[in-house]
Amino acid sequence: WTLPNHVVTGILGIPIGDVPMFRGWLDTMLAASSTLEQRAENHGKLLEYIRSLIAVRRATPTDDVLSELVHARDDEDRLTEDELVMLSLSLFLGGFETTVAELGSMVFTLLAQRHLWEELVADRDLLPAAIDELFRWIPSFRYGFPNPRWAIEDVELSHGIVIPAGDAIIGERSVAHRDEFVYPHASEIDFHRDNPAPHLMLGWGPHHCVGAHLATLELHLSLAAILERFPNLHLAVDPDEVEWSTQTLLRSPVALPVGW
């Protein structure tokens, strides 16, 4: 269990006893080694489970986000039934997996580049800037950004390149984040950038992550607590020996052996 899992379980109203079952479906659905049939089967189980939670909220409203979504559907007609189910699923998926993966990657990066850890131990006020810089520098997906976007109008880029309306593109954030024209010395992690350009880790515009503020707060609280309790934390193995997950699209260490 991790802080992000505890938080999202409480916010979304998932019964504690159901979490291992829910995580099993989720892990199988997202695992790179799963077959299409296994993914479809577990996706169906997740949808069935979410519909059962929605039915419970309709019968007995509670003080959680899922109840608010049901209210928006039933009393305000702001969502269709399909939108209610799929939005709930998106919140469940995002809340359980992404922040956990990012926290592991951030701690690994700080410990692998020891001077960064020491900077934060010496000055905890650097944490907000550090989290933004780590968001920029750390690739969030193992195989690049997987979500296509469609241009709703002609978009002209530099050098006269035009993306016609209706064309699909994949905006590779990891490449954008290393653009020297936007981020000077982009390949380096620097917690002292002067008025840095915004990062794209959490999306932008209508695609901005709905849980961005929550994820940032969880990361800040987690890192602050680790720095406070374990200022001498260090990797117990060579950075090259850390094993990375091959089961999900996200970049995440399987385990992080440390000492203090």
Side-chain angles (χ1 to χ4, degrees):
W1 274 81
T2 63
L3 174 65
N5 283 168
H6 277 293
V7 171
V8 77
T9 299
I11 289 176
L12 296 177
I14 300 175
I16 295 295
D18 290 354
V19 171
M21 175 181 66
F22 181 88
R23 281 306 305 263
W25 295 333
L26 177 60
D27 290 344
T28 302
M29 190 182 80
L30 296 178
S33 60
S34 295
T35 64
L36 290 176
E37 291 76 15
Q38 288 173 322
R39 292 179 186 177
E41 178 185 356
N42 283 272
H43 183 255
K45 290 178 179 178
L46 281 166
L47 292 179
E48 182 180 348
Y49 176 74
I50 289 170
R51 290 190 180 102
S52 72
L53 291 182
I54 289 172
V56 171
R57 296 309 185 280
R58 284 190 165 125
T60 309
T62 52
D63 184 21
D64 55 46
V65 169
L66 188 56
S67 272
E68 290 297 321
L69 292 176
V70 171
H71 172 68
R73 160 67 181 141
D74 293 351
D75 301 330
E76 300 178 1
D77 198 27
R78 294 168 59 190
L79 298 168
T80 67
E81 191 67 19
D82 284 344
E83 287 172 339
L84 169 61
V85 173
M86 296 311 296
L87 178 56
S88 300
L89 177 60
S90 296
L91 293 175
F92 283 30
L93 294 178
F96 266 94
E97 199 71 18
T98 52
T99 309
V100 174
E102 193 66 21
L103 179 59
S105 290
M106 284 189 176
V107 172
F108 168 81
T109 302
L110 291 170
L111 296 181
Q113 301 189 43
R114 186 70 193 182
H115 65 285
L116 300 175
W117 179 265
E118 299 294 348
E119 273 196 78
L120 295 180
V121 169
D123 186 359
R124 220 64 52 78
D125 290 340
L126 283 175
L127 258 179
I131 289 172
D132 271 348
E133 178 70 347
L134 292 169
F135 268 144
R136 177 194 71 82
W137 193 85
I138 296 172
S140 52
F141 295 95
R142 292 192 297 122
Y143 299 120
F145 187 62
N147 298 326
R149 307 294 190 210
W150 280 263
I152 60 174
E153 60 185 32
D154 289 352
V155 179
E156 184 172 355
L157 305 179
S158 57
H159 307 296
I161 296 174
V162 175
I163 300 173
D167 271 17
I169 65 164
I170 292 180
E172 182 46 68
R173 297 184 300 201
S174 296
V175 175
H177 286 159
R178 302 301 175 92
D179 187 340
E180 291 285 343
F181 290 101
V182 181
Y183 309 99
H185 53 277
S187 62
E188 301 174 12
I189 299 176
D190 182 357
F191 299 156
H192 305 275
R193 293 184 181 274
D194 182 24
N195 192 28
H199 62 76
L200 303 175
M201 169 61 182
L202 298 168
W204 197 260
H207 296 291
H208 191 249
C209 174
V210 68
H213 295 295
L214 177 60
T216 302
L217 178 61
E218 288 174 340
L219 290 167
H220 189 286
L221 292 174
S222 298
L223 290 172
I226 296 170
L227 288 161
E228 179 66 29
R229 294 187 62 185
F230 305 106
N232 296 318
L233 196 71
H234 58 272
L235 288 176
V237 297
D238 187 270
D240 292 338
E241 296 177 24
V242 172
E243 182 183 357
W244 295 84
S245 173
T246 60
Q247 295 301 305
T248 70
L249 293 173
L250 298 170
R251 181 181 182 274
S252 175
V254 173
L256 205 57
V258 295
W260 59 87

